[in-house]
Every structure is written in C-alpha cells, then in structure tokens.
Amino acid sequence: MSPANATLIEEAYITPIKSVLFIDDNFPTHADLLEEKLAGDTDDAAQGEAMLLKGVALHDPASENMFVDGDTKEEPRTSTAGDTADMPRHVRNLIRSCRERGYIFDIENNLTNIERDHYAFINKADLVVLDYYLTQSDDAQHSLKILQNLAISPRYNLVIVHTHENKFDVASEILFSMQGCSKKAINFDRIQNKEEAIAQINSNISHILDNNKAAIDKIFEITQCKNPDIVRKFINNTICDYFTRTHTALENLSIKSNISTTTTPWIATQNAFIVITEKKPADNQTLKDLIDELARAILDFNPGIITTTLQKCINISKENTYNILKESFATTDIRAATLYLAATEYDTLHGHQDRSAILSHKLVGMLLESATSGLAQHASGYCERLLDVTFNAQALNRASNCIQCEGSTCDEKTLHLHANSILCSERTIPHRLTTGSIFEHSGTAWVCVTPACDLANISPDKASSMIHLEAIKLDKINDNIKLADLMKDTARGNGIFITKGSNVTAYSIYIGNKTSICINNFLIQGSALLKEGKITLYKVAFDPKKGEARTVSAEYTVIGQLRPNYASRLLAHKGSWKSRIGVDFINHP
C-alpha cells in the first residue's frame, strides 16, 4: 500500500465521515434507553448483559449504564464461551469509539422502522454499519434487501457489513444477491462429471462470482462441455442450490468486486461501496478498526483519479459553502444579476414540456460555472498531490498511464477519440437549436452555422414568422483509414466528434474527397426551442413541373452541441460569410 495513495483515499472518503448508523438487532437504541430511564427502571448493567448473553435482541429497554463514558465497573463474566460472552463489551467499544472520533451516531434495531418508505431512513448517514443477521434466525434476507436498496439509492453510501460468520462466505452471498441469479430450467445431459463439477463450484464460489478466469476455465475442463451457455447455466444453478435461494436482478446495476484475493472482501456498485468484516468482540474491536478495513478496501478497489477528485469536490462544497459563495458571488448585486439572467426565459417557456429541465439547466449551469473557481481553489493542493502520485513515479507514456489509472481497457486511438469529443462537444443536449448544434434526419447529419443572435426567440405575436437557418452537411466517418487521416490533423478543425452512449462518432465537414463544404438552408417556424431533443425544420424545394417552390417539413433530432469556443471557431473559419459579432446583451427598458 502506497502511503501517499492511502492518505489521498482517506482524505476523500474517510475523513468526511461525520455520522454513523448502526443497524443491529443486538444494539439498544437511544429510545430504548430513554424509555427505560423514564420508566424508572433500576436494572443495572449486569441485567442488560444477561439479556445479551441469552441471545435476546435488545428491542426491549437495556441498561444505559453499559454506554456511559468514564469509569465503569467490569461486567460480570459468565462461563459462556466464544464471542457471545463479549458482546456487551463489543457494543460498548463501538459506541465509545464513535464518541472518541467525534461522530454523530444512531442505532436502529427495529425492522419496521428500517424498511419503511423504501428504506429511506438508512440513506442519510455517512457510514452504515450493518449486522448481517437482523433476526435471531440465520436468515440474511433483510440485510440483503437493505444492501440492494443502498446500491441503487440516489446517494453514495459507505457500508460495513458486520458478521460472526466467515466474511468471505458472507461476501459471496451478498455478491450473488446483487447479481440477481435465478435457476434456469435446462437439460444438463451434456454436462460430464457433475458431482466433481458441483464440488469444484461450491469450493470456489467467491472466485467464480469475482469472474476469475482460471476458476471458470476449470469448470469447463471438468464438465467437458463445449457449449459455454450450458456450462454457465449449470454453474448458475449450482450456486443457487448452494445458497438455497434465488434473487431478482437489479436493473442496470454495475458491479465490481474482490471477494476472493483480498484480506477484506468488498463489492462496489454505482451508489454503494460495501465492505464485509468479522465481529471480534474478544479483541476489543472499535469503530476505528472497522474504518481502517474500509480504507484498505477502497484503496484495493482504486476508484480512479476522476471519481476520487469528484468525491473530494463534493466534500469541499459541503464544508466550504460560505467561502465558495463569497468568492464566486461576492455581493448581493452579483447574485441578483445571476438570478435575473437565469430567469430570462421564465415567461416564454410557459406550456413548454421541457420547461423545468430548461430552467434548471440555466440556473444550475450558471451557478456551477461561477463556483468553479472557488471549488478549484480549495481543491488545488489535493489535485496536485493526486496527480503527482499518479504520474511522477510512472515510466509509461501519459496515454497508457491514464488508461491504467482509470482501469480502462481501451486503446490509445479510442482514448484520443474520447479526448477530442470532450474538447469539441458538450456533454448534454441544448434546449434550443443554436450555433454549433448538430442535428440529423434519416442518417444524415448537419451542424448549424447560423449565428446564435439570428436564432433568438420570436415574440408570441409573430409565431408564424420563419427563421432562416444555414447548416454544413457532415460526412460520417466509418472508414478506419479516413478516421486515421482525420485524427492526424485534428487541429485544423475539419472534424467533429460527439459521444453517443459509450462510443464516439466522428464527422468531417467535407463530403467524401471534396475540399469545399456543402451548405444546406432550412427554415424554423416561430422558435428554435427543442421538444424532447427534436425540432421541425422546413426546406424549400423547387417543383420543375409546376414551376413553383414549395416547403417540405421533417422532424430532426439534435444529437450534439459544439462547445462555444469550437462553434465560434467553426463559424469564423468555415462560415465566414455569416460570421459577425452577435453577443447577447440585455437591454434596459
């Protein structure tokens, strides 16, 4: 473990922890203790311990004396062997260590409270410590449902699953539930050596769930079946039988894991990082011990530079709201002007189906644009250290280094395609057709080169008026040789790159081998506002038989938007006949 990396991970993920929620049926809640005190119960700590030693869940009031700071008498020990005898001490150690670290903490042991409102209650703490068995039976269904809901919740969650069982077995069952395995009805007559294969699968479940190639290849070797689909279904059914249950798959859940080759098994989904640890009451285990395991697991996961930086910026925005506000919006006058600009289309958008999205995009966009300098200033030292640790000790070239750091599998050509797409096009589709908008119809694409000032909204009483729009017809590059030629000389500005999903589409502003651009003219009726990313455009066509012109309309889909600087450059270089100053100022009435 690199000390520098460990420090950076701790600063982004561990230091920001301020609140902890314990979910455990053997922990007393604050309400339990308070109700006992108000009832005048005089039971001492030994009675509370006796309840724990008997395996009684503390849904009933327990003695608050177990958790009082300062000197406490030694709890009477019994002859009960193993971890159970140390449970009261274990509970107290975890609670006390919360106070020592300055955490706000809460405890919940009531499943009704936990599961209400689709588990909304548990999605508020910075760290959740979850007991694997929340009932007195060996049934983990409740905790598995909690983990599944945290994995798809809107907020990112750090979760420590705490268990008396073998942590690798527990990690296997959690990962199995996340993957949504269910038994498949299929004939397995083509599978050879079934008993040996089942034994091999059952003894290597964690490796198989981790997608370990060697473990999976071994099953193929034993079964002697050449149909990979049948073998995978056989493996799936065997694992379902091992856990004696099946699970419903979570849609679009991205999962990474290491539950087989690490000292602390972990599972990472898009909105939850789950670490599995074992309860060790006899070792005076504290919350610091659990968090140290969490930090090691995150380091093993290696979330990447981009994700770690985003996490750091989120924490900065929480802790420095006032300073960022002061730096970015120094006076109430500036804040009022920002709000005024964000509301310029408030009245004209009434009735528009995308009204809320457009208004939000304008307001939030202006806030983030102004706050960027404040965030960057507070994150500057961290970002410098992060990049120094990443690049200074590396012998690889920069492109390969970046691919490796983010765990990507792309080649350098794909990396440069994505880099050019980031440079020239926005990440989101605009709410109106403007300079640099890329739109398509029936597989043909164009980029708008009409100045933005000519595409301004027409007033409602002139809704029948037409706006003239000019666009360069684009040539989609599907040929690898043409793409290589375009990539060699991107600085000339002849290419346009936009991201669709996870792929980059490249266009040339020249059709085929021509050296001149192809301009097409369109008309917009009334407004350039989009509706669900689409707009109706009109073209003028001449009918030679009738000797007259007529308009033909079609619906066009906006698929991308050039960044302002790139759009202006394209207009200046390739549309100089239309280029002129057209800054949007606000007239004072």
Side-chain angles (χ1 to χ4, degrees), residues 259-326:
I259 63 171
S260 57
T261 62
T262 179
T263 55
T264 303
W266 54 264
I267 300 165
T269 71
Q270 57 260 44
N271 278 337
F273 186 79
I274 303 163
V275 172
I276 299 86
T277 64
E278 291 180 13
K279 293 182 179 180
K280 298 177 181 178
D283 295 342
N284 292 323
Q285 194 175 41
T286 67
L287 188 65
K288 180 182 183 301
D289 299 323
L290 302 186
I291 289 179
D292 286 346
E293 286 198 71
L294 172 65
R296 286 194 292 271
I298 295 176
L299 190 63
D300 182 49
F301 166 46
N302 186 20
I305 304 300
I306 299 300
T307 303
T308 303
T309 304
L310 283 173
Q311 186 72 23
K312 177 65 177 178
C313 288
I314 290 170
N315 298 329
I316 288 173
S317 65
K318 290 180 182 177
E319 298 171 358
N320 297 276
T321 303
Y322 175 76
N323 288 333
I324 292 173
L325 178 67
K326 184 179 178 181

Side-chain angles (χ1 to χ4, degrees), residues 345 349 352 354-363 431 529:
E345 292 183 293
L349 289 171
H352 194 281
D354 296 328
R355 182 173 183 267
S356 61
I358 294 171
L359 292 176
S360 173
H361 187 272
K362 288 199 70 173
L363 180 57
H431 62 273
L529 281 173

